[in-house]
Amino acid sequence: MPNTIQLEILNSLTFVEPFETLVEEVNASEPVIAAELKDLIDQRMVQVMDGENGNYRKSFYYDSDNMRAFHYQATSKGLDHL
């Protein structure tokens, strides 16, 4: 079961969003958001998306040291917890 911060993250990721959106919408510090997002990705509740200008595709890798380089979207598994 996701914790409160993870639920805030999932709620913000109904659509493909950049990391900056999470920083603006989630009530936690950036390092905490990054750590919780990584955990959600590991649990397959969030999908990493690559691309720009609305042309996004699933990415099976991401740079955990540069979370701002990618976009993210909640998966159906993640949305089931909302």
Side-chain angles (χ1 to χ4, degrees):
M1 183 73 181
N3 63 39
T4 304
I5 293 171
Q6 289 176 339
L7 288 172
E8 285 185 50
I9 291 170
L10 290 169
N11 193 46
S12 295
L13 295 178
T14 303
F15 300 101
V16 178
E17 298 289 350
F19 186 78
E20 289 80 17
T21 298
L22 297 176
V23 172
E24 293 172 9
E25 295 181 358
V26 175
N27 189 23
S29 66
E30 189 170 330
V32 170
I33 294 169
E36 297 294 349
L37 180 59
K38 290 172 194 175
D39 188 44
L40 288 169
I41 292 167
D42 289 343
Q43 294 181 53
R44 300 183 189 271
M45 290 191 204
V46 170
Q47 174 65 52
V48 178
M49 306 296 283
D50 195 14
E52 57 186 34
N53 301 325
N55 295 319
Y56 300 105
R57 62 190 176 281
K58 292 179 182 179
S59 178
F60 296 100
Y61 71 93
Y62 68 101
D63 182 354
S64 62
D65 293 328
N66 186 12
M67 300 296 284
R68 292 181 179 272
F70 296 90
H71 288 68
Y72 307 91
Q73 184 175 21
T75 64
S76 60
K77 180 179 178 181
L79 292 174
D80 284 345
H81 291 281
L82 295 179

